[in-house]
Amino acid sequence: MKYLTKQKICAQSLSIKQSHPNCGGLCTFEGIVRNHHNGKSVKKMEYQAYEVMAEKELSSLIAYIQNKWPMCNVDLIHRIGNLEIGDVAVAIAVWAPHRKEAFQACEATIDRLKKTVPIWKKEFYTDGNNDWVICTHQSE
Amino acid sequence: MKYLTKQKICAQSLSIKQSHPNCGGLCTFEGIVRNHHNGKSVKKMEYQAYEVMAEKELSSLIAYIQNKWPMCNVDLIHRIGNLEIGDVAVAIAVWAPHRKEAFQACEATIDRLKKTVPIWKKEFYTDGNNDWVICTHQSE
Amino acid sequence: MSIKILFFGELSESIKKSEITLEIPNSLSVGSLFTNLMKDYQSLGEKWQNHILYAVNHTQVKRDFIVTDGDEVAFMPPMSGG
Amino acid sequence: MSIKILFFGELSESIKKSEITLEIPNSLSVGSLFTNLMKDYQSLGEKWQNHILYAVNHTQVKRDFIVTDGDEVAFMPPMSGG
């Protein structure tokens, strides 16, 4: 597995692999398991992936973003398995010569990831119930 | 000094101080010394601050952003003194319940910082010359 | 011909299967394959009919895509990663 | 009255001063103070005339802001942090 992992992740672990002396800006995004969703109190999450396809789509996603913002360098990692509140589910890092492109490309990466990468998550609530998240692909 | 430092900085050192269990997104920005500017080859940079006022303006900046995006939590640090290529000059971290606000508030923070915080930088070029950066406040 | 079929997320959980291998006599579309398979799970089939995503050999396809021998077909709820 | 004046960035470097204390007989605006101080540096004064930023006691002010005894005045090139 290259872009998927069952280990704890953070954006910093992407950063330290990279050095881009022509880049003046690094924008990172971490999607973090939060303690509430749609008014329900969340205890933990389970992330499931269609692993082979997800790896392929994550690789395509990076290529897509770097093609659209040719000066950018993109790296990312997505965690699967069981996550607790505060755990990072996805970390994205975008280096760019100028900051505007770094922000744009980083936000586009997470927006597109949510639509194209076959990963599903199930929320476990503090009341003992659980539910698969049905994503409307609004800002969330 | 609270928001200014002469030590090496990174966004991760902001992150680890913070825990926001209601926040699903963390957007960070690092402004990094790059090896070129306006076609010139840069060797190193010197950052000078009007320290007392800069601390006050950085504190006001955080208050301004958190007032405009009330769900966001903002932290930042700005380095002054002598910086090498690849060194982080400024690191900003914004936690938010939803990612859109995290990106917006983080970008607004660096945009406004460049206009309101009394810090100046001087570039030292590989050809031996040096110049104070005159900021046009375009995307850079 | 032999088709491997994968189910994911809520769909997999509902039908209590994550993977089956199917022998089918004729070529058919992934959409028809889904409708046929869901005959035993009518309410579930109706729920997912318009939301299900199809992949063949790790690439997303439309519901009229025709499967061939040895294909790996996946029936996927809308993605919710990130 | 006594006014402390700070210079920053290229401005400080050009006039080779980062801080002076000035005794002035009458109140005057930060803009006039700058013009007076720049008399010995005419080309520099003209270069910065329309770009300089003024702060009094750590708060940015407009060029017509009147200084009073004990104020800390700063003459600042456009900021370039970040």
Side-chain angles (χ1 to χ4, degrees):
Chain A
M1 294 199 294
K2 187 174 176 190
Y3 299 113
L4 296 177
T5 178
K6 289 180 179 164
Q7 309 301 315
K8 273 188 184 277
I9 58 172
C10 70
Q12 182 69 4
S13 58
L14 300 171
S15 310
I16 56 177
K17 286 193 292 182
Q18 307 273 347
S19 170
H20 305 290
N22 66 326
C23 286
L26 164 61
C27 178
T28 75
F29 178 76
E30 289 183 359
I32 302 167
V33 177
R34 63 176 189 267
N35 62 6
H36 65 96
H37 186 225
N38 287 342
K40 289 182 191 164
S41 179
V42 176
K43 195 174 60 184
K44 58 171 191 156
M45 305 278 282
E46 186 189 317
Y47 281 75
Q48 181 191 81
Y50 181 9
E51 295 189 15
V52 179
M53 184 175 166
E55 289 282 355
K56 178 174 159 274
E57 288 293 336
L58 287 167
S59 177
S60 300
L61 171 60
I62 292 173
Y64 173 88
I65 297 292
Q66 292 193 157
N67 184 57
K68 194 160 172 181
W69 286 275
M71 303 301 286
C72 288
N73 294 282
V74 183
D75 197 12
L76 59 79
I77 191 157
H78 200 301
R79 189 169 162 195
I80 53 177
N82 296 307
L83 279 73
E84 307 291 323
I85 306 301
D87 280 354
V88 176
V90 59
I92 299 167
V94 177
W95 291 258
H98 300 275
R99 70 180 184 281
K100 195 179 170 67
E101 289 72 20
F103 279 104
Q104 284 179 346
C106 189
E107 190 168 14
T109 303
I110 181 63
D111 287 352
R112 192 172 171 86
L113 181 150
K114 286 174 172 269
K115 290 179 201 162
T116 65
V117 181
I119 297 177
W120 300 272
K121 61 189 170 205
K122 191 178 180 177
E123 293 175 333
F124 293 80
Y125 307 110
T126 51
D127 66 8
N129 292 322
N130 62 70
D131 249 328
W132 290 92
V133 175
I134 302 302
C135 227
T136 54
H137 296 130
Q138 304 307 308
S139 167
E140 72 149 325
Chain B
M1 294 200 294
K2 188 172 175 191
Y3 299 114
L4 296 177
T5 179
K6 290 180 178 163
Q7 309 301 315
K8 273 188 184 277
I9 58 171
C10 69
Q12 182 69 4
S13 59
L14 300 172
S15 309
I16 55 177
K17 286 192 292 181
Q18 307 273 348
S19 170
H20 305 289
N22 66 326
C23 287
L26 164 61
C27 178
T28 76
F29 177 76
E30 290 183 357
I32 302 167
V33 177
R34 63 175 190 266
N35 63 5
H36 65 95
H37 185 226
N38 287 342
K40 289 180 189 166
S41 178
V42 175
K43 195 173 62 184
K44 59 171 189 156
M45 305 279 281
E46 186 188 315
Y47 281 75
Q48 181 191 81
Y50 181 9
E51 293 187 16
V52 179
M53 183 174 166
E55 289 284 355
K56 179 173 158 274
E57 288 293 336
L58 287 166
S59 177
S60 300
L61 171 61
I62 291 173
Y64 172 88
I65 297 293
Q66 291 192 159
N67 183 57
K68 194 160 172 181
W69 286 275
M71 303 300 286
C72 287
N73 295 282
V74 183
D75 196 12
L76 59 79
I77 192 158
H78 200 301
R79 188 169 162 196
I80 54 176
N82 297 307
L83 279 72
E84 308 290 323
I85 306 300
D87 280 354
V88 176
V90 60
I92 298 166
V94 178
W95 290 259
H98 300 275
R99 71 181 184 280
K100 196 179 171 68
E101 288 73 21
F103 279 105
Q104 284 179 344
C106 189
E107 190 167 13
T109 303
I110 181 63
D111 286 352
R112 192 172 170 89
L113 182 150
K114 287 175 172 269
K115 290 179 200 162
T116 65
V117 181
I119 297 177
W120 300 272
K121 61 190 169 203
K122 190 177 179 178
E123 293 175 333
F124 293 81
Y125 307 109
T126 52
D127 66 9
N129 291 322
N130 61 70
D131 249 327
W132 290 91
V133 175
I134 301 303
C135 227
T136 55
H137 296 132
Q138 304 307 306
S139 169
E140 72 148 325
Chain C
M1 59 193 193
S2 176
I3 307 288
K4 181 165 144 189
I5 300 177
L6 307 178
F7 303 89
F8 290 97
E10 188 175 348
L11 189 62
S12 163
E13 191 174 85
S14 301
I15 66 176
K16 297 181 177 58
K17 289 188 185 73
S18 61
E19 184 177 331
I20 59 171
T21 301
L22 211 65
E23 297 295 328
I24 53 173
N26 308 308
S27 324
L28 78 179
S29 68
V30 287
S32 305
L33 201 51
F34 182 73
T35 309
N36 291 350
L37 276 169
M38 287 296 114
K39 275 183 186 144
D40 294 342
Y41 307 91
Q42 200 181 337
S43 67
L44 196 65
E46 281 165 11
K47 174 180 175 184
W48 286 107
Q49 191 68 47
N50 297 318
H51 303 288
I52 202 77
L53 301 171
Y54 306 94
V56 173
N57 301 330
H58 318 123
T59 299
Q60 222 180 303
V61 298
K62 294 206 194 309
R63 59 169 288 117
D64 58 1
F65 187 93
I66 304 293
V67 298
T68 54
D69 188 39
D71 278 349
E72 178 173 308
V73 175
F75 296 131
M76 309 180 294
M79 292 140 187
S80 60
Chain D
M1 59 193 192
S2 177
I3 307 289
K4 182 164 141 187
I5 300 177
L6 306 178
F7 303 89
F8 289 97
E10 188 176 348
L11 188 63
S12 164
E13 192 174 84
S14 301
I15 66 175
K16 296 179 178 58
K17 288 187 186 74
S18 61
E19 184 178 332
I20 60 172
T21 300
L22 211 64
E23 297 296 328
I24 52 172
N26 307 308
S27 322
L28 79 179
S29 69
V30 288
S32 305
L33 201 54
F34 182 72
T35 309
N36 291 350
L37 277 169
M38 287 294 115
K39 275 185 184 141
D40 296 340
Y41 307 90
Q42 199 182 338
S43 67
L44 196 66
E46 283 165 10
K47 174 180 173 184
W48 286 108
Q49 190 68 48
N50 297 317
H51 303 289
I52 202 76
L53 301 171
Y54 307 93
V56 173
N57 302 330
H58 317 123
T59 299
Q60 222 181 303
V61 298
K62 293 205 195 309
R63 58 171 287 118
D64 58 3
F65 187 93
I66 305 293
V67 297
T68 53
D69 187 40
D71 277 351
E72 178 174 306
V73 176
F75 297 132
M76 309 180 292
M79 291 139 188
S80 61

